[in-house]
Amino acid sequence: MRKIFLVFTIASSILISCNNQQEKQSEARDSDFVAKSFKVANAQLSTAIDQYQDLTKFPRSANPDGTLHTRAASNWVSGFFPGSLWFMYEYSKDDKFKEAAIKWTMALNEQQYNKGSHDIGFIIDSSYGQGLRLTKNEAYKPVIIEAANSLMTRYNEKVGCIKSWDWSDNWKFPVIIDNMMNLELLFEASKLTGNDIYKNAAIDHARTTMKNHYREDNSSIHVVDYDPETGEVLERVTHQGINDESAWARGQAWGLYGFTMCFRETQDTVFLDQAEKIAEFIINHPRTPEDLIPYWDYDAPNIPNEPRDASAAAIIADGLLELSTFSEANAELYLSRAEQILKNLSSDEYLAAPGTNNNFILKHCTGHKPKNSEIDGPLIYGDYFFLEGLLKYNELKEKTK
Ligand code: GLY
C-alpha cells in the first residue's frame, strides 16, 4: 500500500512540475511578442535617429511615392516621435534613445505657446509629459504648465468645452472626439500647480462630450459644432469618417482611452461607466474582423474590402489595458482582448520588417480615408500607442506575477 502511495506521489509531483513548466513556458511565450516588437522598434528607431538630423521635420507617415512624410513642430503628430523614443528608452535603458528623446523633445519647446489648436495636448503630453515621467527633469514642468495655459485659452465656459479647430469657416466652435486626449495635459497642470482651474475645465469638457458626442449605441460622432455664445449644439457631423452617422474607428479609440484617463484622474465613476460602454461597443461590434484590427470605419461600405487602421487598434489595446485595472466586472475580458490585439499587431502582418516601412514600426494604419490620405501605411501615433500599450502590458504582467 505504502509503495503504491509512493509511486502515486512521485507521479503527481512529476505531473505538477510538468504543468508548472508548461505554465512558465506559456507565460514566457505570452510576453515573447513584447520582446519581438521592441526588437523591431529598437532597430527602426536606431536607424531613424541616425538618419533624421533636421529637428524641424517630425516623422509622421509615408508619402504616396513611398518616401518619408514629415511635418513641422506645430503639427498635431510632432510629439509622437520623441514620445516613441522615450518609450524605447524606458524599455531598453539605452542612453542613446534618452539623448535622442531629449533632443527631439526640446525641438518642441516653442509649441508651449501654440494657441492655434487643441493639439497642444497631444504635442506636449507625448514629449515633455513622457520626459517628465521618466527623468523628473524640473525644467520640463514650466513647459507643461505654459502649454496648459495655451490650451485653456480655447476653453469656453458657455459651451463647456475646449475648441478643437480654427481652420473651417463652416463651423463656429467645433469639438472633435479626439480632443478627449488633450485633457491629460490639463490634469497634469493641476497636479503640477495645485490649481484646479485646469482640471475643472477638463472635467467640464469630458461631461459635455459625454452628453453631446455619444449615440444610444455608445458610438461617437466625430465633430460637434457649438454656438460659442449660447453653448447650443449646431451640428453633428464627421470629418474623417465615412458619413455623419458612422463610427469612425479611431474616434471610438480616442473616446475609450480618453474617458478611461478621466476616470484615472478624477475617480468619478461616471467616466468609468462611459469608458465601459465604449469598450462594449468596440468589443462586441459585429464588423470587427477576426484578428481584432478594425477597419478604418465600423460602417465603411465595402467591409471586408476596406483598409484596416492598426493605429486605432493600438489605441484601443492601450485603453483597454488601463481600463482592465479599474473595472470590477470586466477586468479579465479587457486584459485578454488587449493582449490579443497586441499579439496580432506583433505578427508579421502588422509589424514592419527591420529596415522597411520608413523606420516606422506598424503597417496598415489609415489616417484620413475620405481625403484619400495616409491609407494602409505607417502612422507615427500608431507606433507611439503601440509601444505604450506594450509597456503597460509588461507592467501589468509584472504586477500579477
Ligand atoms: N486627431 C486626428 C486623428 O486622429 O486623425
Side-chain angles (χ1 to χ4, degrees):
M1 188 64 188
R2 275 187 63 188
K3 237 187 197 166
I4 293 174
F5 180 68
L6 196 68
V7 170
F8 177 74
T9 315
I10 293 170
S12 339
S13 326
I14 291 171
L15 256 174
I16 289 169
S17 130
C18 281
N19 274 347
N20 282 349
Q21 256 177 10
Q22 267 172 8
E23 255 169 47
K24 271 196 190 130
Q25 270 171 4
S26 108
E27 231 178 67
R29 252 203 318 276
D30 274 347
S31 352
D32 277 353
F33 71 89
V34 178
K36 176 188 174 192
S37 296
F38 268 105
K39 198 168 164 198
V40 169
N42 194 324
Q44 299 294 75
L45 290 169
S46 292
T47 312
I49 58 179
D50 282 349
Q51 280 181 1
Y52 309 154
Q53 295 300 330
D54 184 343
L55 294 172
T56 65
K57 291 184 172 160
F58 291 79
R60 172 170 166 143
S61 60
N63 291 311
D65 66 1
T67 55
L68 176 73
H69 177 54
T70 61
R71 295 301 294 270
S74 58
N75 188 258
W76 79 276
V77 307
S78 61
F80 296 120
F81 182 59
S84 299
L85 296 172
W86 281 122
F87 290 144
M88 195 59 235
Y89 165 64
E90 183 172 4
Y91 182 82
S92 66
K93 305 285 179 290
D94 186 336
D95 278 337
K96 81 173 178 196
F97 291 116
K98 183 181 178 182
E99 280 159 28
I102 292 172
K103 198 170 75 173
W104 283 91
T105 293
M106 299 300 283
L108 292 172
N109 189 52
E110 279 305 300
Q111 292 311 307
Q112 64 185 296
Y113 308 109
N114 183 346
K115 300 179 178 65
S117 94
H118 66 153
D119 290 327
I120 182 77
F122 273 121
I123 296 170
I124 297 296
D125 265 329
S126 51
S127 54
Y128 281 91
Q130 296 300 345
L132 178 63
R133 183 177 65 82
L134 291 172
T135 66
K136 311 283 177 248
N137 184 343
E138 287 290 316
Y140 292 170
K141 289 183 181 173
V143 179
I144 292 169
I145 296 165
E146 192 55 44
N149 287 331
S150 297
L151 187 56
M152 283 296 285
T153 64
R154 307 185 63 80
Y155 172 62
N156 175 323
E157 243 175 62
K158 197 84 201 170
V159 176
C161 272
I162 291 151
K163 188 182 181 197
S164 292
W165 293 325
D166 293 342
W167 52 260
S168 169
D169 291 335
N170 294 335
W171 295 319
K172 287 187 171 170
F173 193 101
V175 178
I176 64 173
I177 189 62
D178 325 27
N179 204 342
M180 284 300 299
M181 301 296 286
N182 296 313
L183 306 183
E184 198 159 9
L185 179 70
L186 300 180
F187 287 118
E188 183 62 22
S190 274
K191 281 185 271 186
L192 291 177
T193 58
N195 186 343
D196 278 352
I197 189 172
Y198 308 99
K199 180 181 167 174
N200 290 339
I203 292 170
D204 197 16
H205 182 104
R207 284 181 174 272
T208 307
T209 300
M210 226 168 70
K211 194 169 80 199
N212 294 328
H213 262 83
Y214 280 86
R215 308 182 179 106
E216 256 184 36
D217 67 355
N218 299 314
S219 69
S220 146
I221 289 148
H222 188 199
V223 188
V224 177
D225 189 32
Y226 293 93
D227 183 328
E229 311 300 329
T230 64
E232 183 200 344
V233 172
L234 297 175
E235 137 172 276
R236 291 182 168 89
V237 290
T238 195
H239 179 61
Q240 278 160 272
I242 183 75
N243 60 49
D244 297 345
E245 280 74 47
S246 80
W248 172 51
R250 202 162 51 255
Q252 313 315 305
W254 293 139
L256 174 72
Y257 190 119
F259 281 103
T260 303
M261 177 267 297
C262 282
F263 175 69
R264 181 220 305 149
E265 297 297 337
T266 61
Q267 297 303 302
D268 186 338
T269 52
V270 82
F271 298 134
L272 177 60
D273 292 347
Q274 182 64 26
E276 296 222 50
K277 284 186 202 164
I278 301 168
E280 197 189 333
F281 174 86
I282 291 172
I283 289 174
N284 296 328
H285 201 286
R287 285 188 289 281
T288 296
E290 214 169 295
D291 69 4
L292 309 180
I293 313 304
Y295 298 99
W296 69 280
D297 189 308
Y298 287 94
D299 299 297
N302 300 314
I303 288 174
N305 300 314
E306 293 279 357
R308 304 297 186 91
D309 184 9
S311 78
I315 300 158
I316 288 169
D318 199 353
L320 285 176
L321 282 172
E322 181 159 31
L323 192 56
S324 79
T325 67
F326 301 139
S327 170
E328 278 177 17
N330 299 310
E332 261 309 307
L333 170 67
Y334 299 154
L335 179 59
S336 65
R337 181 56 75 121
E339 180 181 68
Q340 205 49 55
I341 294 173
L342 291 176
K343 270 187 189 166
N344 293 346
L345 289 175
S346 304
S347 71
D348 295 344
E349 177 63 17
Y350 294 98
L351 196 64
T356 68
N357 207 33
N358 280 296
N359 304 318
F360 293 103
I361 301 160
L362 287 179
K363 304 179 278 183
H364 303 306
C365 303
T366 295
H368 194 145
K369 178 76 168 50
K371 244 173 75 182
N372 214 12
S373 161
E374 298 177 328
I375 297 168
D376 198 20
L379 287 170
I380 186 64
Y381 41 95
D383 289 2
Y384 174 90
F385 288 99
F386 180 50
L387 296 182
E388 186 178 60
L390 292 170
L391 285 166
K392 261 188 215 167
Y393 176 82
N394 255 6
E395 201 185 311
L396 280 178
K397 282 277 153 179
E398 203 54 46
K399 273 190 194 146
T400 51
K401 252 186 196 166

